[in-house]
Amino acid sequence: MINVTKSYLGNIDKFKAYVDMIYASHWMTNHGPLCCELEERLKEHLGVRNLILTNNGTLALQVAYRALGLSGSAVTTPFSFVATSSTLQWEGIRPVFADIDPRTWNIDPEQIESRIGSDTSAIVATHVFGNPCAVERIEAIAKRRNLKVVYDGAHAFGVRHAGQSVYNWGDASTLSFHATKLFHTIEGGAIVTQDDDLAREVRKLCNFGITGVDRIEGLGTNAKLNEFSSAMGLCVLDDIEHIFEQRAEMGHYYEQRLSGHFDLQGVHDGDEINYSYFPVGLLNQAEALAVRDALQEQDINPRRYFYPSLDTLDYLQPQAAQPHSRGLSQRILCLPIYPGLARDIQDKVIDTLLRQREKPQDTSLAHAV
Ligand SMILES: *Cc1c(COP(=O)(O)O)cnc(C)c1O
């Protein structure tokens, strides 16, 4: 089965050498040498001031909200992985959705203001599929309305905006290093911030509020990354340029053959994206499901990222319906893209899409969105 992604595994001998080090030292977690080395290398690679590793991207979000003291509600995007909103709800912060821009598929700055209420404490936006949000406009609103900004940057590893890491925008950005992400540590994540005081607070929260021997300064949780995961990260980071190159090559090929026929995500001029996903907007749900079925018959498994639109989730009601997000979530498919994916598989995927497009009668019965 060809899946939408295939977890990257680097050189096994290199990984084994790190495991030997862990066996020799017996240091398996709690900010060990491999975790520290990975933090330093990631900071340098990304060009960010503070980076704190966490044990996943979900806790990274929760810790970021806590460290920033968010409360009440937050204006956020309905078109993201569920964790962007579920973490808010988990922390007792009510997510209030603002619809997406139908071109970029990110939260639409035009929609944000009307969602801000008396208890709004933040804007939480996702750089969806690694496409940078309209960061200048979002931050202008936040400044005017005295709100914090958190970017869920789970997809945006290596993405650059205005010549620097997109993680340098906002009060904090969060990363996920889950095995399915472009860069990974099996499970893992990080919080990036330019603010040294916030970084200190994040470190404290990630380690139970403990700040020294016999010293517990306040409430915290356990969000530490272990040494085996850090070792995996060091191995994957060694190969990161190869990963970027392969993904870009595949992404460009999909673009070349699909643009003009299908709705592709709009990226602002000058932004450098990472091809962590290759999403395609079909005409409607019927066409998307027909393409999915036709691909699955060939043992190719595209995914409906992101479906359903988060404004439809029962546990987040009441919400105003967000039509652009609902429409897109019904007609989107993410196509296979990962280092090592064969060109003939890409051709099969593309040919299947193009063949489906030549069958208008099959989609005419569908409820178009
Ligand atoms: C993967 C992902 C997360 C969650 O990260 P985990 O490391 O799996 O906890 C959060 N937000 C987005 C947008 C994601 O894609």
Side-chain angles (χ1 to χ4, degrees):
M1 185 62 108
I2 303 290
N3 287 312
V4 72
T5 196
K6 184 174 176 182
S7 295
Y8 188 87
L9 285 168
N11 182 297
I12 191 169
D13 294 323
K14 210 185 271 181
F15 187 69
K16 282 179 178 164
Y18 283 122
V19 171
D20 287 342
M21 285 166 65
I22 297 169
Y23 269 70
S25 69
H26 286 245
W27 196 342
M28 284 184 263
T29 187
N30 284 21
H31 224 231
L34 300 180
C35 177
C36 293
E37 185 182 341
L38 184 60
E39 277 192 357
E40 285 307 313
R41 281 188 57 192
L42 285 171
K43 251 185 353 194
E44 190 184 354
H45 175 79
L46 294 167
V48 297
R49 183 171 170 85
N50 297 288
L51 182 147
I52 301 96
L53 286 167
T54 63
N55 50 6
N56 61 58
T58 303
L59 268 166
L61 285 162
Q62 287 176 222
V63 167
Y65 305 150
R66 287 263 175 175
L68 286 164
L70 305 193
S71 64
S73 67
V75 178
T76 189
T77 175
F79 189 72
S80 184
F81 183 59
V82 65
T84 316
S85 287
S86 63
T87 48
L88 285 166
Q89 186 84 353
W90 193 273
E91 291 298 326
I93 305 156
R94 193 167 45 88
V96 175
F97 294 113
D99 210 355
I100 54 168
D101 178 330
R103 204 180 71 83
T104 65
W105 307 348
N106 284 322
I107 196 167
D108 183 352
E110 294 286 325
Q111 304 290 327
I112 291 176
E113 291 251 40
S114 68
R115 302 282 158 198
I116 298 171
S118 55
D119 72 343
T120 307
S121 56
I123 300 168
V124 176
T126 301
H127 303 300
V128 81
F129 306 130
N131 190 20
C133 290
V135 289
E136 287 83 7
R137 294 174 65 197
I138 289 171
E139 286 170 38
I141 296 167
K143 196 165 178 202
R144 189 151 24 85
R145 305 297 295 262
N146 197 24
L147 304 174
K148 302 289 188 192
V149 178
V150 177
Y151 291 110
D152 183 338
H155 305 163
F157 192 89
V159 168
R160 296 171 72 80
H161 172 73
Q164 57 176 307
S165 172
V166 75
Y167 296 142
N168 284 334
W169 273 267
D171 293 286
S173 296
T174 65
L175 290 65
S176 166
F177 301 150
H178 184 256
T180 55
K181 304 301 206 262
L182 184 150
F183 168 79
H184 78 93
T185 60
I186 311 170
E187 291 269 7
I191 297 167
V192 167
T193 178
Q194 310 241 39
D195 179 338
D196 295 348
D197 292 334
L198 187 68
R200 245 187 315 277
E201 182 66 14
V202 163
R203 284 199 190 280
K204 190 173 87 186
L205 295 184
C206 287
N207 189 33
F208 310 98
I210 295 172
T211 51
V213 179
D214 301 334
R215 187 166 169 77
I216 304 168
E217 259 185 39
L219 181 65
T221 188
N222 178 4
K224 301 188 297 328
L225 189 71
N226 71 71
E227 290 291 279
F228 291 89
S229 279
S230 302
M232 178 59 75
L234 288 167
C235 292
V236 177
L237 193 56
D238 280 345
D239 298 344
I240 200 74
E241 295 308 326
H242 166 74
I243 294 171
F244 286 138
E245 278 165 26
Q246 287 251 312
R247 286 181 169 277
E249 189 181 315
M250 289 166 191
H252 293 151
Y253 186 63
Y254 274 136
E255 277 169 359
Q256 179 199 323
R257 293 203 52 202
L258 295 174
S259 67
H261 302 283
F262 296 92
D263 184 14
L264 304 183
Q265 189 177 26
V267 178
H268 287 112
D269 284 347
D271 285 352
E272 298 165 51
I273 58 167
N274 61 8
Y275 294 96
S276 51
Y277 298 83
F278 199 90
V280 175
L282 288 299
L283 278 179
N284 51 36
Q285 179 157 263
E287 193 186 50
L289 295 179
V291 167
R292 184 180 66 169
D293 290 349
L295 287 172
Q296 283 179 341
E297 273 170 29
Q298 303 167 78
D299 288 329
I300 297 170
N301 192 22
R303 290 297 301 274
R304 302 182 80 192
Y305 293 151
F306 289 100
Y307 178 88
S309 181
L310 300 177
D311 60 306
T312 65
L313 296 186
D314 283 340
Y315 68 81
L316 298 178
Q317 299 307 316
Q319 293 285 345
Q322 304 301 322
H324 289 307
S325 175
R326 288 191 184 191
L328 181 63
S329 69
Q330 290 188 346
R331 63 185 178 84
I332 198 151
L333 286 179
C334 280
L335 308 180
I337 186 165
Y338 53 83
L341 179 70
R343 174 60 62 95
D344 68 300
I345 302 290
Q346 279 198 283
D347 281 325
K348 263 196 205 180
V349 171
I350 294 162
D351 293 342
T352 303
L353 277 155
L354 293 172
R355 261 200 313 277
Q356 188 62 40
R357 183 46 59 86
E358 286 160 12
K359 297 190 218 164
Q361 69 278 14
D362 286 5
T363 58
S364 60
L365 297 172
H367 47 282
V369 267

